[in-house]
Amino acid sequence: MKHKLLLTVATMFSVAVAFAQKSTDRITANISGRPLSEAVSIIENVSRFTFFYDTAKTDMTRTVSLSAVNLPIEDAMNLMLSPIDVDFEIKGNQIVLISSVAKEPSDVTVT
């Protein structure tokens, strides 16, 4: 019984450590003054990552730039996205874009 408990705890710890580790992926890309939608496509083409975002909340027409040579993916995303107030999370092979600034509801009327 002790062995099963110890094995279970060790497995849970291993899984927690795996999720806590940063991605070791690196990226090389040169993007200058391009819409975020194009930058996302470029990064998808040169990496293993795909992007997930809500077009209603993330303005994909915002202009971004990135000059990265063998840069960790987290650093590259921070450099590219911080000027336009877009956050991100890396989940496996997916990069989730999160708008930092909440948009005003368009269907609200103030009288």
Side-chain angles (χ1 to χ4, degrees):
M1 182 68 176
K2 283 186 179 181
H3 292 288
K4 283 186 178 181
L5 179 61
L6 183 58
L7 182 59
T8 301
V9 170
T11 301
M12 289 171 48
F13 179 74
S14 296
V15 170
V17 169
F19 280 111
Q21 291 177 341
K22 285 188 168 185
S23 173
T24 58
D25 289 279
R26 294 180 170 272
I27 186 172
T28 297
N30 188 18
I31 301 166
S32 181
R34 309 295 290 205
L36 181 55
S37 60
E38 289 182 27
V40 162
S41 293
I42 292 167
I43 293 169
E44 286 178 336
N45 287 333
V46 299
S47 72
R48 68 179 182 93
F49 294 98
T50 57
F51 285 79
F52 177 79
Y53 50 90
D54 182 349
T55 56
K57 295 181 180 177
T58 306
D59 183 359
M60 299 301 288
T61 64
R62 297 284 308 267
T63 301
V64 296
S65 295
L66 173 66
S67 180
V69 177
N70 201 29
L71 196 63
I73 191 70
E74 290 90 356
D75 294 345
M77 293 296 95
N78 278 321
L79 284 172
M80 185 175 80
L81 298 174
S82 61
I84 61 167
D85 291 324
V86 173
D87 291 326
F88 70 95
E89 290 182 19
I90 297 177
K91 297 182 179 186
N93 66 340
Q94 215 172 39
I95 299 174
V96 180
L97 301 182
I98 306 158
S99 178
S100 298
V101 181
K103 288 188 172 183
E104 295 286 326
S106 59
D107 59 345
V108 175
T109 305
V110 178
T111 57

